[in-house]
Amino acid sequence: MQPEYHQAITRRPGPGIVRGLRERDHGDPDPTLAHDQHEAYVSQLKACGLDVDILNADPALPDNVFVEDTAICLPDCAVLTNPGAPSRRGEVASVHEALKRYYEVIHRITAPGTLDGGDVLEVGDHYFIGLSARTNEEGADQLIQILNEFGLTGSTVIFSGFLHLKSGVSWLGEETLLLTEGFGQLTAFSSFDQIVVPDNEAYAANAVMINGRVLLAAGYPETLALVETAGFETVTLEMSEFHKVDGGLSCLSLRF
Ligand code: CIR
């Protein structure tokens, strides 16, 4: 199955990005460079045929550029998340306002359930939900119930070593996953065609496939070669400033 996307929602990075959450310190992101990298990202979304709704940054919410974590966009309904990091819960309200422009039906994950969009991997009609420091069983169960209401299915995946499930695995359409070696060994992904990124390029496992084109982080030549050899059209984007606060390509947009 090859989905068709028409719309994206993104949010400009603000000066607050310097205070973004991170698991390890690689230095603060430079807001000006982050702004330029984000503009290039938005241009690519447009080049892939998407209309892009760009929300303004809220300086009080350091991580709000990572809109992917605040909602799951299904074909017939959107689901607002309850992000696992308390400092990120304030991001949901403005994404809700934006989603009302596109969805009549909007559901919500509620406490004690927590769920980050970065833990939800769409593979056609099935959604893999990573259980992480941000997404708990209760949040995953609530999402699976909503998926089932709309004729879709979901299942949980236990993993370690990454912030979010999609930090280590991306769906490239049909039966193909781009993923780290460790994720490739998870039973959930054993039946897929796997493009395995080398360990020293693990960050490149977070990619975005939009309408036949694969967006990859720049600076990971072996992964780029593997994806191209598998027959995909690719585009690379500089992601250095988002990487410093644990963000990848998928985190920067909601696509539907
Ligand atoms: C956070 O820790 O929540 C942000 N600094 C990074 C979020 C990245 N989002 C994603 O992987 N979906």
Side-chain angles (χ1 to χ4, degrees):
M1 183 188 181
Q2 205 64 265
E4 239 188 80
Y5 299 99
H6 301 281
Q7 183 69 47
I9 296 175
T10 66
R11 191 195 299 279
R12 288 192 181 85
I17 194 171
V18 295
R19 290 179 283 110
L21 295 173
R22 66 206 80 170
E23 290 189 330
R24 269 179 293 278
D25 193 20
H26 300 293
D28 290 340
D30 171 346
T32 309
L33 192 49
H35 175 272
D36 294 349
Q37 292 179 350
H38 194 265
E39 292 232 306
Y41 179 84
V42 167
S43 299
Q44 253 330 301
L45 296 184
K46 290 180 178 167
C48 291
L50 303 188
D51 278 338
V52 186
D53 193 343
I54 308 174
L55 313 182
N56 287 322
D58 179 340
L61 298 167
D63 284 297
N64 68 358
V65 69
F66 301 118
V67 285
E68 173 182 68
D69 293 318
T70 59
I72 313 301
C73 293
L74 307 177
D76 298 316
C77 109
V79 183
L80 303 171
T81 68
N82 182 28
S87 68
R88 300 201 54 192
R89 294 191 183 142
E91 297 174 25
V92 178
S94 54
V95 172
H96 186 189
E97 286 310 307
L99 285 168
K100 284 182 192 166
R101 298 196 268 276
Y102 309 101
Y103 284 96
E104 280 175 21
V105 183
I106 301 182
H107 287 286
R108 187 187 280 277
I109 303 297
T110 55
T114 63
L115 183 124
D116 277 15
D119 281 318
V120 180
L121 175 71
E122 172 199 357
V123 180
D125 291 342
H126 189 78
Y127 291 72
F128 291 101
I129 307 166
L131 298 177
S132 69
R134 302 289 177 85
T135 297
N136 63 16
E137 291 264 10
E138 170 66 30
D141 285 349
Q142 289 180 26
L143 180 60
I144 290 170
Q145 280 196 19
I146 297 166
L147 290 168
N148 292 164
E149 265 177 53
F150 288 86
L152 306 165
T153 54
S155 58
T156 55
V157 181
I158 295 172
F159 71 97
S160 60
F162 291 90
L163 174 65
H164 287 122
L165 182 71
K166 279 190 287 190
S167 314
V169 54
S170 306
W171 181 44
L172 302 191
E174 308 292 353
E175 293 300 311
T176 306
L177 297 179
L178 175 70
L179 76 191
T180 63
E181 204 174 314
F183 277 33
Q185 274 152 27
L186 297 175
T187 321
F189 305 135
S190 60
S191 64
F192 288 90
D193 297 335
Q194 301 186 349
I195 303 176
V196 180
V197 306
D199 275 347
N200 61 333
E201 296 198 357
Y203 179 72
N206 179 272
V208 183
M209 192 280 297
I210 308 173
N211 302 337
R213 195 175 296 177
V214 179
L215 275 49
L216 289 166
Y220 300 92
E222 289 182 50
T223 304
L224 176 64
L226 288 168
V227 174
E228 290 192 333
T229 304
F232 291 93
E233 183 187 339
T234 61
V235 176
T236 58
L237 286 163
E238 290 296 338
M239 288 291 292
S240 61
E241 303 317 290
F242 303 111
H243 191 179
K244 287 176 185 167
V245 279
D246 297 344
L249 285 159
S250 72
C251 323
L252 293 178
S253 60
L254 290 165
R255 305 160 298 278
F256 46 97

